[in-house]
Amino acid sequence: MTPEEEYRPHRVALLAATAFAIATLFAFTNAALAQTAGTATTVQGQVQLQRAGATSNLAQGTAIQVGDRIVTGPNSSATITLSDQSRLEIHDSSTVTIDQHLIGAGGRVSTQIGLVSGLLRSFVHLTSAGGVPNFSVHTPNAIAAARGTTYDTDYRAGIQRPGYPNCAKFTDVSVSEGVVEVRNTLNTSAPAVEVQAGYTTSVPCALAPLQPAAIGTTGGGGVGGFTGVSPGGSSAPPPPPLSPPPPPPPPSGGGFPG
């Protein structure tokens, strides 16, 4: 038997092992790309799930994956419960994307949600093991990053507001619990503002976030109706009142309680 003939079985085994390793790598890659982020716990009305180029009706109990896009129709809504028990309440006529949901060492969670249009209410879950999660909502012109909180993010395009004749895109953030840092992603030099419980702010186009105002007071206006015109500064807003007013009710037809 020649040396080449003696080596042939070893070469076949090596090729088989290499093929197995490649197949395993692809399997892990596909699993990572299809990472489960949570579950659709409630669905009302017409809600679509867009995944990997395909569109289907979202049903209660459907697993939600990183990369999914959820679109609610008029008078429709959906609630997504993430694997860390944080909740996303997607109101009517809204589009939301699940951009990132990672659980790292010690149980710390990193979540990034895209709000393409409409209104999203976020309930960020805190755990003693994982500490404060890294949770943020990204709109086309702003980021609202939470430090353990409940807050509404609303993005509207193609609308007009007094004092902004050349602007038709607004992100509004109203906070019910905790603190949210809001900054403009189109203007990185603009200072961010911290919005405390009972306060609201707005981000017009590429301008700095407005100075937070108490929800329901002059200059506040609540989600979708901020009327202040003064850009916010980098300093923190005044402390909230002892009994801050409740957050504004969601738009009619959203399917969620106020």
Side-chain angles (χ1 to χ4, degrees):
M1 179 179 296
T2 65
E4 182 179 353
E5 291 174 333
E6 291 182 358
Y7 179 70
R8 185 174 301 164
H10 299 285
R11 184 169 56 184
V12 172
L14 179 61
L15 290 174
T18 302
F20 177 78
I22 293 175
T24 302
L25 176 61
F26 276 117
F28 278 114
T29 301
N30 290 335
L33 292 175
Q35 176 191 358
T36 299
T39 305
T41 46
T42 64
V43 178
Q44 297 183 9
Q46 297 297 316
V47 182
Q48 291 185 339
L49 171 64
Q50 298 177 1
R51 175 184 298 166
T55 300
S56 60
N57 292 327
L58 181 65
Q60 183 173 333
T62 300
I64 301 299
Q65 298 177 359
V66 172
D68 284 353
R69 175 183 289 239
I70 298 129
V71 181
T72 59
N75 302 315
S76 303
S77 61
T79 298
I80 308 300
T81 301
L82 301 176
S83 61
D84 68 337
Q85 299 307 305
S86 293
R87 295 199 324 275
L88 308 174
E89 289 187 353
I90 308 170
H91 289 255
D92 61 317
S93 303
S94 300
T95 300
V96 167
T97 58
I98 311 299
D99 298 332
Q100 182 185 82
H101 186 66
L102 301 173
I103 301 179
R108 181 174 172 82
V109 180
S110 179
T111 303
Q112 179 176 314
I113 305 300
L115 177 61
V116 180
S117 62
L119 174 60
L120 170 68
R121 176 166 291 178
S122 305
F123 296 84
V124 184
H125 181 68
L126 297 180
T127 62
S128 57
V132 179
N134 179 10
F135 186 101
S136 59
V137 176
H138 295 234
T139 73
N141 76 323
I143 295 177
R147 294 197 294 273
T149 190
T150 301
Y151 66 105
D152 292 347
T153 308
D154 188 25
Y155 177 75
R156 305 289 171 177
I159 64 173
Q160 294 294 323
R161 291 185 182 175
Y164 301 94
N166 300 317
C167 178
K169 298 178 180 180
F170 298 86
T171 295
D172 301 310
V173 179
S174 294
V175 181
S176 301
E177 295 180 22
V179 179
V180 175
E181 180 184 85
V182 180
R183 58 187 174 90
N184 195 315
T185 56
L186 303 180
N187 183 359
T188 56
S189 63
V193 298
E194 286 192 347
V195 186
Q196 300 183 28
Y199 280 74
T200 182
T201 187
S202 184
V203 184
C205 293
L207 300 177
L210 305 186
Q211 187 68 27
I215 295 172
T217 63
T218 301
V223 169
F226 199 100
T227 58
V229 296
S230 300
S234 58
S235 59
L242 293 178
S243 299
S252 60
F256 297 110

